[in-house]
Each structure stands twice: as C-alpha cells, then as structure tokens.
Amino acid sequence: MGEEYLQQFLDKTTWYNSIVLENLLPTNLWDPLPHFLQSWLRNYMAGTLLYFISSFLWCFYIYYLKRNVYVPKDAIPTNKAMLIQIYVAMKAMPWYCALPSLSEYMVENGWTKCYARISDVGWLPYVVYLFIYLVVVEFGIYWMHRELHDIKPLYKYLHATHHIYNKQNTLSPFAGLAFHPLDGILQAVPHVIALFIVPTHFTTHIGLLFLEAIWTANIHDCIHGKIWPVMGAGYHTIHHTTYRHNYGHYTIWMDWMHGTLRDPIDDEVKKVM
C-alpha cells in the first residue's frame, strides 16, 4: 500500500479520536498526546461508556422493568455481586483497550490486509470477506476459549477469574467483561489475527470489536433467546455451570462440529426427568 492510501487510515483514527475525546475531555488534556495514546484513550473512554450503558440498561430492563418475567426473583444477582463484576472489569479495561489500539497501529502502517473504503472492493466482496472474517474469528475464539479450559495453568491463573460466576444468580450483563486482563485480550486476539488473513473493512473491524461489549453483556443475562444457530445466553449459562460445553462465540457450529454442544432445551428436559 502506498503512503497516500495508508494516510486514509490515519485520517479515520484521527477523526474517531476527535469525535470521542472532544466531547468528553478538555482539548489540552488529550491533544498533546502522541497519536497512539490518543487512540488508546479514545478506546478506553468509549469502551467504558459502552460497557456501563449497555449493561446498566439491560439490567434495568430485565431485573426491574420486567422483574420475574425473564429471570425469576431468586435468580437475580445481588447488587454486591454486580459491583464486584464491575470492579473486575474496570481493572482490566485499560489493558483490553491496548488491543484495538495496537490493531489500529498495525493497520495504519500497512501491516494488515485492511482496506479503507467499501468502494475499494465493492459490496459483494465486502460481504464475502466479512463472512470469512467472522468464520475465522469464530474458529479462533472457540479454540482459544477451549484451551483456556483445557490447559490447567491457563485456567487456574487466567480464566478461573471469570468462572467464579457459575450459577444463574451470580451471572449478570456486568459479568460480560469481568475477566483477567490477559484472558480478555487472548479471547479477542482472533479479531486481530483475522486482519492478516482476510481483506477486512477497517471501520467494520473497529465496530465489531466494540460490539463485543454488547454481545458479552447479552450472553451473560441467562435468558435463552431461542434464535438458532446463535450461541446465546441459554447456551452460555450452561458453559458457566458445566465448564465443558458451549465454548463458541456467535454460533453453535464449532461446538456442534467438535462434540461440545449442549442445548438448553435438552438440558431442561433432562432436569425434569
């Protein structure tokens, strides 16, 4: 890629920085910072806001506005449990935000297969590439997640932090980002690895990274959405209680192919029997 084309990526991240930081901080606090630190600060502030807004609104809806509709009263986590989840997530958030900042740096320097505009490839290739990108991410997250369970030191020192939430009344949308920092980064790394394999629209990549905050909040609410083949909260709640099933991220396909799928409906039937 030529310098003129790479400048488009730099212009985009500079624009994203100004949109977020100008509206949240005085200019003299962030403008003198190097571009990489500006991007990290933007990712940190935007990620934190997204985490709190999405998790709070969803908790308010399912635990208060729709109390006893989606979640039984005895399955609602305590305020103390949710505050602990927020504490764990906030300790990790500065580290989480290093990953998208690093991926942006690599894109700006032309090290990846990212492209700046959909018009550079056309809509049909964009959709095809996006599908392949999501397949790569699904494959990567499944195996990363599974190895975090199968490799005992990784589980003991990293992933166990997240699995203290192992009952319905200990899980909440706030648990979605309550990981050991390295654990959270490892599970997001497939998003970055995919950039070196698949031509990817840069803004779509950034958007998908931040949508993770909403997705992870959703899959920790213990509500089975029954949208096949989505790996929703019903499946993920089973993962938190059995530890050996439903490692997938967006869909059930990887678990189905590797024999680790456990269906929430079948699980309920077995409990009744």
Side-chain angles (χ1 to χ4, degrees), residues 29-265:
L29 291 181
W30 62 269
D31 193 50
L33 296 174
H35 178 76
F36 180 85
L37 289 181
Q38 287 185 17
S39 297
W40 174 85
L41 185 60
R42 178 250 300 166
N43 287 325
Y44 175 71
M45 300 195 76
T48 300
L49 281 173
L50 189 60
Y51 170 70
F52 276 108
I53 292 171
S54 61
S55 298
F56 175 79
L57 289 177
W58 195 234
C59 285
F60 182 71
Y61 179 74
I62 62 177
Y63 297 151
Y64 295 97
L65 291 183
K66 295 291 183 179
R67 195 176 185 88
N68 294 326
V69 175
Y70 296 115
V71 181
K73 185 178 179 180
D74 60 354
I76 296 175
T78 64
N79 290 335
K80 181 180 178 182
M82 289 189 280
L83 285 172
I84 292 172
Q85 291 163 8
I86 292 170
Y87 173 72
V88 173
M90 286 299 95
K91 280 203 307 180
M93 187 66 77
W95 301 99
Y96 293 161
C97 295
L99 186 65
S101 304
L102 180 60
S103 76
E104 290 174 27
Y105 178 81
M106 293 188 289
V107 170
E108 290 164 358
N109 284 276
W111 301 347
T112 71
K113 293 191 174 185
C114 272
Y115 55 91
R117 301 179 303 264
I118 295 175
S119 59
D120 292 340
V121 297
W123 278 100
L124 181 58
Y126 166 77
V127 172
V128 172
Y129 290 144
L130 177 59
F131 176 78
I132 298 171
Y133 172 93
L134 292 173
V135 169
V136 171
V137 168
E138 186 73 27
F139 176 87
I141 291 178
Y142 173 87
W143 280 108
M144 185 67 75
H145 191 183
R146 186 166 174 174
E147 293 310 305
L148 282 163
H149 279 266
D150 290 348
I151 300 174
K152 299 308 178 186
L154 291 182
Y155 183 82
K156 180 179 179 180
Y157 295 109
L158 299 182
H159 201 50
T161 299
H162 185 65
H163 270 277
I164 61 172
Y165 317 113
N166 57 8
K167 296 187 178 82
Q168 190 172 3
N169 63 359
T170 64
L171 285 164
S172 83
F174 286 110
L177 293 181
F179 290 89
H180 184 286
L182 185 55
D183 182 1
I185 289 171
L186 285 172
Q187 292 198 60
V189 157
H191 276 282
V192 178
I193 293 174
L195 301 182
F196 294 89
I197 301 171
V198 187
T200 305
H201 181 233
F202 177 56
T203 302
T204 300
H205 163 70
I206 297 298
L208 287 170
L209 273 180
F210 277 88
L211 280 173
E212 289 288 330
I214 298 174
W215 179 250
T216 56
N218 175 266
I219 63 173
H220 288 87
D221 64 15
C222 301
I223 301 169
H224 183 34
K226 302 177 183 178
I227 305 174
W228 185 90
V230 175
M231 177 66 75
Y235 289 95
H236 198 69
T237 302
I238 290 173
H239 172 75
H240 271 266
T241 55
T242 71
Y243 299 82
R244 307 305 301 171
H245 302 91
N246 302 349
Y247 300 102
H249 192 54
Y250 295 122
T251 74
I252 65 172
W253 294 116
M254 289 297 296
D255 285 283
W256 177 74
M257 286 190 289
H258 293 92
T260 53
L261 183 65
R262 186 162 171 176
D263 189 280
I265 296 175

